[in-house]
């Protein structure tokens, strides 16, 4: 059965182009490799283009075509979502060509590469800190950049992720009944994150942890620790009296007052 003419032509072109690509890939003609890599890059055939670029990048360092090649080489990794190598190559590009017209874009994409590497909050946040560092460097270096708003948005997202991790760690201490550690963790969170939307929950968590520590202490420490818990209640209610957590906090506070009054009565009787 004969294939339609247009399919035959298409297959002929396809095999011809594949054959040409393989020939250029095997040969030592740097000029042809460069031209084909550039052409494939423009067509969005990034994997094929990358194979050629990997062969020629060292040969073009310091040459006039090197600047363009290094940029599209870095951007190819970005397009392929290989963000480790994209971040590394964009950083090398900005160091090698600080006056390039592409330097600002490269700096932003390099920083954004680390943003893409930032894992979910429950994992190690080394890459998140790296992304924050690189984004802040970009903002400082290009204060009037059109990418500044997006860069600030990315910074806010990463900071919120770090806040979430810190808050969840404190909450976990409370969950496993390590009340002293919970109080310390909530204290640190409140100090370190004054604008966080978890702030209300941190104030409440610290109060609950102090209350639980008090009522689960040996008798000689209960009253002293109830006084501390009362202080944390006052801190909470000062800022969050009209929130959904206030009724439960007040219920706990009333139990503190009841326990304190009972202890005082027993002390007088004895």
């Amino acid at each position: 059965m004969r294939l339609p003419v247009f399919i035959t032509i298409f297959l002929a072109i396809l095999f011809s182009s594949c054959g040409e690509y393989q020939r250029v890939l095997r040969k030592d003609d740097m000029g042809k490799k460069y031209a084909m890599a550039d052409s494939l890059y423009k067509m969005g055939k990034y994997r094929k283009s990358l194979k050629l670029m990997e062969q020629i990048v060292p040969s073009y360092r310091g040459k006039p075509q090197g600047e363009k090649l290094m940029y599209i080489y870095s951007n190819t990794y970005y397009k392929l979502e290989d963000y480790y190598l994209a971040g590394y190559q964009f950083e090398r590009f900005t160091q090698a060509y600080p006056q390039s017209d592409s330097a600002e874009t490269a700096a932003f994409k390099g920083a954004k590469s680390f943003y893409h590497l930032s894992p979910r909050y429950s994992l190690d946040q080394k890459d998140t800190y790296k992304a924050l560092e690189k984004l802040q460097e970009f903002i400082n270096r290009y204060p009037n950049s059109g990418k500044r708003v997006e860069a600030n948005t990315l910074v806010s997202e990463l900071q919120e992720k770090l806040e979430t991790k810190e808050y969840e760690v404190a909450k976990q201490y409370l969950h496993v009944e390590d009340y002293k550690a919970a109080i310390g963790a909530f204290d640190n969170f409140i100090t370190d994150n004054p604008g966080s939307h978890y702030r209300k929950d941190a104030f409440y968590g610290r109060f609950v942890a102090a209350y639980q520590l008090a009522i689960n202490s040996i008798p000689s420490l209960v009253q002293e620790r109830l006084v501390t818990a009362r202080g944390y209640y006052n801190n909470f209610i000062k800022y969050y009296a009209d929130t959904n957590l206030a009724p439960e906090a007040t219920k706990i506070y009333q139990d503190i007052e009841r326990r304190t009054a009972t202890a005082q009565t027993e002390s007088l009787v004895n």
Side-chain angles (χ1 to χ4, degrees):
M1 182 178 178
R2 297 182 65 184
L3 293 171
V5 174
F6 75 91
I7 294 180
T8 303
I9 294 172
F10 171 77
L11 290 174
I13 294 171
L14 178 64
F15 289 128
S16 173
S17 63
C18 288
E20 179 64 16
Y21 173 75
Q22 291 300 328
R23 279 193 294 274
V24 172
L25 195 63
R26 289 194 298 268
K27 297 293 183 180
D28 293 329
D29 191 326
M30 295 294 118
K32 284 188 177 181
K33 288 178 189 287
Y34 183 100
M36 182 170 280
D38 187 39
S39 177
L40 290 168
Y41 173 83
K42 289 174 180 175
M43 289 189 287
K45 297 182 178 181
Y46 300 116
R47 293 191 187 281
K48 282 190 168 185
S49 179
L50 182 61
K51 284 186 177 181
L52 290 164
M53 285 191 277
E54 286 173 339
Q55 293 183 353
I56 64 176
V57 161
S59 300
Y60 278 93
R61 288 200 180 99
K63 295 183 179 179
Q65 306 97 318
E67 179 182 331
K68 177 183 176 181
L69 179 60
M70 282 299 296
Y71 178 81
I72 66 173
Y73 181 54
S74 306
N75 202 44
T76 296
Y77 282 119
Y78 189 85
K79 292 288 188 180
L80 292 172
E81 299 182 4
D82 187 340
Y83 295 120
Y84 274 112
L85 285 175
Y88 172 70
Q89 293 298 342
F90 275 127
E91 193 163 16
R92 290 187 69 193
F93 177 86
T94 56
Q95 290 171 353
Y97 304 100
Q99 304 305 317
S100 170
D101 290 341
S102 300
E104 180 182 325
T105 302
F108 178 72
K109 285 190 171 182
K112 196 170 181 180
S113 294
F114 289 103
Y115 163 82
H116 285 301
L117 291 169
S118 174
R120 64 180 183 272
Y121 76 85
S122 58
L123 299 177
D124 184 270
Q125 295 300 303
K126 177 181 67 175
D127 287 323
T128 301
Y129 286 109
K130 182 75 170 179
L132 282 169
E133 176 190 334
K134 293 300 178 183
L135 285 164
Q136 195 58 56
E137 284 178 6
F138 172 80
I139 291 167
N140 293 342
R141 186 170 184 180
Y142 300 102
N144 300 314
S145 172
K147 295 291 186 182
R148 182 183 176 87
V149 172
E150 184 179 356
N152 280 322
T153 299
L154 299 180
V155 166
S156 296
E157 287 181 25
L158 295 174
Q159 287 176 335
E160 184 171 337
K161 184 182 293 187
L162 294 177
E163 288 174 13
T164 300
K165 183 177 181 68
E166 191 176 346
Y167 171 72
E168 290 295 333
V169 167
K171 199 166 73 168
Q172 184 63 19
Y173 283 131
L174 181 58
H175 177 72
V176 299
E177 301 180 1
D178 188 345
Y179 300 123
K180 284 186 178 180
I183 293 168
F186 282 126
D187 256 335
N188 290 335
F189 181 89
I190 291 166
T191 300
D192 296 341
N193 304 283
S196 173
H197 67 271
Y198 293 111
R199 190 170 172 81
K200 172 192 68 175
D201 301 276
F203 269 84
Y204 178 75
R206 182 177 64 176
F207 166 54
V208 171
Y211 166 73
Q212 290 293 340
L213 178 64
I215 65 175
N216 288 285
S217 295
I218 59 175
S220 61
L221 294 176
V222 170
Q223 289 306 308
E224 176 187 341
R225 288 177 172 174
L226 285 175
V227 170
T228 300
R230 185 191 290 122
Y232 286 140
Y233 169 78
N234 290 333
N235 291 151
F236 170 82
I237 214 69
K238 176 181 178 181
Y239 299 107
Y240 304 110
D242 297 326
T243 66
N244 62 319
L245 293 176
E248 188 60 31
T250 300
K251 190 184 299 183
I252 295 171
Y253 173 73
Q254 289 169 347
D255 185 60
I256 290 173
E257 294 297 280
R258 180 184 61 77
R259 288 172 183 269
T260 300
T262 300
Q264 289 173 346
T265 299
E266 290 175 351
S267 177
L268 289 173
V269 170
N270 294 332

